[in-house]
Amino acid sequence: MPGNRTQRPRTRPKDTGPPSTGTDEKATLRGFLDYLRSAVADKAAGVPEPQVRTGGVPSGTSLLGLLKHLTFVERFYFLGEEIGHWRATMRPSAEDTIDGVLADYREAVERANQVIDACPDLALPAPRPPRRGPAPSMRWVLVHMIEETARHAGHADILREQIDGSTGR
């Protein structure tokens, strides 16, 4: 009908394609992981209160909760830190802010990248919390973290679109 326009979603200015990583296996895996890490952080950055912590789906998942969870996942798999209650990692506290959780995430990613960079052979075991059994290889952890981060990047895409209509990376 004339005059009845459908509102088009906003596209984020940083909408980029996959990274160019060359042929080195470690560089390729880390390049895709960093690409996904940036996508998640960018989706949460700048979202105001209370929208950043408001659940957008029946489970209560929020952008702030996803970012907090991924911070714990990075620390567990790359730094060998024990996580007491995985469910709690998805629930931001009243004191958590987007700036604070984003800084924690970026710090965990930086430390994780140091561990990845220091690993001379992806077949070697990744750090593991005590009493957890044999550690998986660094290769397995990198592939798993790509899967984990990509899955949550998709969740973040949907949550951000619900908040303000923005789409893209």
Side-chain angles (χ1 to χ4, degrees):
M1 295 177 80
N4 185 10
R5 294 184 183 178
T6 303
Q7 186 178 15
R8 295 177 63 192
R10 293 187 323 205
T11 302
R12 297 181 60 83
K14 290 176 67 177
D15 203 8
T16 60
S20 175
T21 60
T23 59
D24 176 72
E25 181 185 19
K26 188 194 306 186
T28 299
L29 294 171
R30 183 171 156 203
F32 273 86
L33 181 55
D34 283 342
Y35 171 70
L36 293 164
R37 289 164 163 167
S38 292
V40 171
D42 288 348
K43 283 293 177 176
V47 177
E49 292 282 356
Q51 292 92 335
V52 75
R53 70 176 59 248
T54 302
V57 293
S59 67
T61 301
S62 69
L63 282 170
L64 192 60
L66 284 175
L67 197 58
K68 184 172 181 171
H69 171 70
L70 284 171
T71 302
F72 280 98
V73 174
E74 292 276 347
R75 290 178 179 156
F76 177 79
Y77 279 108
F78 291 115
L79 307 177
E81 293 182 14
E82 184 68 60
I83 307 301
H85 301 285
W86 279 105
R87 279 190 180 273
T89 68
M90 290 288 281
R91 302 285 180 238
S93 70
E95 294 79 34
D96 285 329
T97 65
I98 185 57
D99 291 339
V101 173
L102 196 52
D104 288 347
Y105 181 63
R106 289 183 172 139
E107 188 264 340
V109 165
E110 182 179 325
R111 289 178 57 209
N113 281 344
Q114 291 169 358
V115 171
I116 295 165
D117 291 345
C119 182
D121 180 350
L122 297 181
L124 292 173
R128 191 69 157 180
R131 304 179 314 268
R132 281 271 182 175
S137 71
M138 181 60 77
R139 179 178 291 106
W140 185 93
V141 169
L142 282 164
V143 171
H144 172 65
M145 286 301 295
I146 290 167
E147 176 271 329
E148 177 87 4
T149 307
R151 195 167 55 105
H152 291 314
H155 298 146
D157 285 342
I158 292 166
L159 293 170
R160 182 65 187 259
E161 188 172 354
Q162 288 176 336
I163 292 168
D164 65 8
S166 71
T167 60
R169 294 215 179 272

